[in-house]
Amino acid sequence: MQIDESIELKFAQQLRKHRLRLTRARKEIFQKLYETNKPLSIQDIASITNGVHFVSVYRSVDLMQKAGIVKQVPQGFKNLFELSDLFRPHHHHATCKICAASKEIHDARIESLMNTLTKEAGLLPTEHHFELYGICQNCLSAVEDSKPIQRED
Amino acid sequence: MQIDESIELKFAQQLRKHRLRLTRARKEIFQKLYETNKPLSIQDIASITNGVHFVSVYRSVDLMQKAGIVKQVPQGFKNLFELSDLFRPHHHHATCKICAASKEIHDARIESLMNTLTKEAGLLPTEHHFELYGICQNCLSAVEDSKPIQRED
DNA sequence: TCCTTATTGCAAATAATTTGCATTAAGTAT
DNA sequence: ATACTTAATGCAAATTATTTGCAATAAGGA
């Protein structure tokens, strides 16, 4: 997939703004996040990225995060990353607890409520994490809610 | 702090319902979560808990989580735990990005919106994670937003 | 009190993340 | 284009976090 010209430019500018260099590794990471278009773990990124050492992925994702290029998406117990709102429309995720399939949610109601609540709590809003979980149609049949928890043995 | 009788009973029942035994370690963990009354990491719990090996904390928190006694609160990049809604009113957190002070939010608007959105996404709602971040009054003065990111060197 | 088996503690294995350092390569100036 | 400065990379190794195996212990029911 070819990245849009203006997106690429913005990427370069954002790096520069934070005195970060536009390296092959970072281009590669950005490209993969862009075309995959869903939250990925560091490991995920390292595995699909071409010739970029996983340590560099850690370091670059961290810096790109601080530079506002990438944002963290804590999903359940995993820390995932995707491109920030600078590069794609702000959204949230609804994820199936069972099959982990995840769907994007775009809804203005969320944002306004978030801001209101954050301010009401006496904070200057910077960000919010918002993840919905449920069970999708496909998986519903396999679940019995009242059953005691499963052990692995 | 002494735990309410009915709370303790419910705790025991919930364990039993899931065929989990009421052990000293679990009482201790429950007690600490109860009196601390804020999200704690596994490490936190292990350190304030009296004579409970950290491996047991991992295991018991995991089981108590599956049994609905404890719930996970992914906060930023940390996985924290607190008692589930069975034992304290459902709420969310507004956390200062800088000093990490965290304030509880109780607001019915959130819940209804969550449920609506989850259903709209085609999922049967099970849970949601919802964390607000901002900068509190105390910390506000120390921040200059447009400054390039800080490196540690 | 006895019996069954979940739970614990400990040691050790794995996995995840971070750090130090020499080498490479951006980005700027010449 | 070439040289220069220093950020960024790769690799090895250190930390840190989490999980697993197993023998000893202790819940909880008979």
Side-chain angles (χ1 to χ4, degrees), chain B residues 39-58:
Chain B
L40 299 176
S41 70
I42 295 289
Q43 315 292 336
D44 293 338
I45 299 172
S47 73
I48 60 177
T49 236
N50 193 277
V52 182
H53 194 95
F54 79 97
V55 170
S56 294
V57 176
Y58 271 110

Side-chain angles (χ1 to χ4, degrees), chain A residues 44-69:
Chain A
D44 292 337
I45 298 172
S47 73
I48 60 177
T49 236
N50 193 277
V52 181
H53 194 94
F54 79 97
V55 170
S56 295
V57 176
Y58 271 108
R59 290 198 263 223
S60 278
V61 168
D62 179 53
L63 288 173
M64 287 162 79
Q65 217 245 159
K66 289 176 178 154
I69 293 166

Side-chain angles (χ1 to χ4, degrees), chain B residues 14-26:
Chain B
Q14 196 68 13
L15 284 172
R16 165 173 302 235
K17 194 202 268 188
H18 292 277
R19 315 250 159 75
L20 299 176
R21 292 180 180 174
L22 178 58
T23 66
R24 201 188 64 72
R26 285 168 190 172

